[in-house]
Amino acid sequence: MISLAAPWLLVLLPLPLLVWWLAPPHRKQEDALRFPFFRRMAEAAGAEPRSGAVVLSRPMIATLTAGLCWVLLVLALARPERVGAPITIETAARDIVLAIDISGSMDARDFATPDGPAIQRLDGVRAVLRDFVAGRDGDRMALIVFGTAAYLQTPLTDDLDTVTALLDRTEVGMAGPHTAIGDAIGLSIRTFESSDIDQRLLILLSDGSDTASRMSPINAAEIAAGAGVEIFTIGVGDPETTGENRVDLATLQDIADRTGGTYFFAEDSAALTAVYDRIDALAPRETETLSFRPRQSLAWLPMALAALIGLGAILALMGRGRYRRRATTRSSPARDAGPGAETS
């Protein structure tokens, strides 16, 4: 579909006619004196006759060309454009950060699977997370791993394949043997600072208790709540064990409560899958729909056409002028040798 971006500029079309009507060219009549044998008199006086001031008549082709060029220029000012079919873009209205504990305790092989022997905790978590990440099409996600310190693996991105690839390369102990839950929350808050989306969701998974953070997990959760970050905590592992390998379920629950999130516990892969399904239900994906029509400017077409027509008219008039001057030059000797010419 072709449309005009500024159709009101078409009111300029009759402007030349208004100028011609309201401001006609100045015309003045002067008395003239006609001399017979003018050329001979000039030769006798030693002068060379030249063309005087004349008002040239405007050829019809010049009038038509000027009018057509004016119409094309006004049409170009009105900015014709081709309007394409509507395009709808759906963008996510939430950002998700996955914070995964990869401390030494995640190496324990006590994570039960539905159809096989118990596997390493991190392997079990990764298997469930792959499906969870694959189902987040349209969401932006970031991946943080933490042990003794927290590290950002991927910033917020909609490239979920990269998130999955980096998750698969994660190994137990890469970030140190201890657990820094508070630092992981702090790094998540910093990651969300680059986001202008209101719905910010942190999913924090740990199988231990905080032993290495520079900031306590509770204080970090308070700051996260102030930044609008909702934290869903997931505890895995054995809560009955002792030492830093004992999952601190009370702290995970407190973190979730302070940020308006929810706490979950999963002791096997089936329970962890159910947890992520539950998170989907509690925090449904919100989207923003943008619709627009692409517009391609066609103003250059009438401008180029006006330029070509104007250039062609100028060349035609120049050729016509040369032809007329040559014809005048060839006829001048004949006039000089006319009936009034003297012979010796």
Side-chain angles (χ1 to χ4, degrees), residues 81-96:
E81 55 190 15
R82 179 184 289 114
V83 182
I87 296 177
T88 301
I89 299 177
E90 190 176 83
T91 59
R94 76 175 178 186
D95 285 337
I96 300 175

Side-chain angles (χ1 to χ4, degrees), residues 59-73:
M60 181 60 68
I61 185 174
T63 304
L64 294 177
T65 300
L68 183 57
C69 288
W70 174 255
V71 171
L72 291 173
L73 290 177

